Amino acid sequence: MLDSRAQNGNPATSSYQQLLYDLPRTGPSSKGGEMLRRYWHPVCLSESLKDIPIAVRMLSEDLVVFRDGKGRPGLLGLHCPHRLASLEYGQVREDGLMCSYHGWRDDTQGRCIDAPIEPRDSDLKNKIRHLWYPVEEWGGVVWTYMGPKKQNPPPLAKIDVLAHIVDGDVRNYSYLNWMENFADMGHAVILHGLLVRELPEELKPYSDHSIKNWTPLPLEHVETEYGMKTVSVLDTGDPNVKFVNT
């Protein structure tokens, strides 16, 4: 555990300790959060988003994703700006999501389009802009961009691997733990069964038994301007073919 001084930017804290404290955090204005907010993120599968709102937690923010009566997805702050009631229990309407507490209704861009119990001559709703993030539906997934250019976000990268996302579960760890796993290439030999051993018959066609030098795993680490690159080059049964993992 980090010394609590690292959390307060204490001069005695090394820059590395401060980095270890800052980088895993993903909230607004955190270093990790600001970096991640420059990318699109999957919110939920399209098929899961029907006529009931879904509470989600994205980059340390509590949000609600819904599909309005016209089929348009939206992503809003979880709590209604009026009395902080949870919009997870809101009601889908043709043009937005209505809070079940007092009936305030927001469209997919967080504009309050109705506040039914306010005086008829009140313009309060015109002054309300609830937390919202742009969403785009592609590849069977609802995506969001939570960065600074909400009105004009960068284009969603529509690459083939993103069209094959399946439903998953919630894991209690930081994104950094997951990314760090890629740099730890040695685990693949054991955990993913690359080391030659007794394999089930159905897996044998996918395992190259001609590779003999899995252990000790040959690794080279190259520091670049954008981070660390790890490379492993292994011999195969064919002297003209190398197995390269990078």
Side-chain angles (χ1 to χ4, degrees), residues 40-49 58 65-67 73-75 134-144 156:
W40 287 83
H41 295 272
V43 181
C44 68
L45 296 182
S46 296
E47 65 182 19
S48 301
L49 193 59
M58 303 287 300
V65 60
F66 70 99
R67 191 185 297 281
L75 185 65
V135 295
E136 185 171 332
E137 206 161 6
W138 180 78
V141 175
V142 177
W143 303 84
T144 187
L156 171 64

Side-chain angles (χ1 to χ4, degrees), residues 124-149:
L124 176 63
K125 67 182 180 62
N126 299 327
K127 301 175 182 178
I128 303 297
R129 191 69 182 269
H130 190 32
L131 175 65
W132 71 284
Y133 291 109
V135 295
E136 185 171 332
E137 206 161 6
W138 180 78
V141 175
V142 177
W143 303 84
T144 187
Y145 171 81
M146 299 173 65
K149 299 178 180 179

Side-chain angles (χ1 to χ4, degrees), residues 61-205:
E61 294 188 50
D62 292 315
L63 307 169
V64 62
V65 60
F66 70 99
R67 191 185 297 281
D68 69 14
K70 296 179 180 177
R72 298 171 299 192
L75 185 65
L76 304 175
L78 179 62
H79 300 287
C80 177
H82 181 210
R83 293 289 304 280
L84 302 182
S86 175
L87 293 177
E88 179 185 5
Y89 306 108
Q91 302 172 40
V92 171
R93 292 294 183 260
E94 185 71 8
D95 51 2
L97 183 62
M98 186 187 81
C99 179
S100 294
Y101 198 12
H102 293 92
W104 281 30
R105 191 165 82 250
D106 299 318
D107 68 10
T108 58
Q109 293 193 353
R111 290 180 287 249
C112 184
I113 52 180
D114 194 21
I117 62 174
E118 297 301 316
R120 292 185 182 277
D121 60 350
S122 172
D123 66 345
L124 176 63
K125 67 182 180 62
N126 299 327
K127 301 175 182 178
I128 303 297
R129 191 69 182 269
H130 190 32
L131 175 65
W132 71 284
Y133 291 109
V135 295
E136 185 171 332
E137 206 161 6
W138 180 78
V141 175
V142 177
W143 303 84
T144 187
Y145 171 81
M146 299 173 65
K149 299 178 180 179
K150 290 202 300 186
Q151 299 290 351
N152 186 29
L156 171 64
K158 297 178 179 178
I159 56 179
D160 56 357
V161 68
L162 298 182
H164 301 282
I165 292 180
V166 297
D167 208 1
D169 55 11
V170 176
R171 303 293 178 92
N172 187 27
Y173 55 71
S174 162
Y175 79 96
L176 201 59
N177 296 117
W178 188 74
M179 293 300 296
E180 179 192 48
N181 177 64
F182 282 100
D184 174 17
M185 293 174 63
H187 83 276
V189 175
I190 305 300
L191 180 63
H192 301 301
L194 296 180
L195 188 64
V196 176
R197 63 179 83 170
E198 272 308 307
L199 291 175
E201 288 298 323
E202 63 270 20
L203 293 183
K204 286 184 178 179

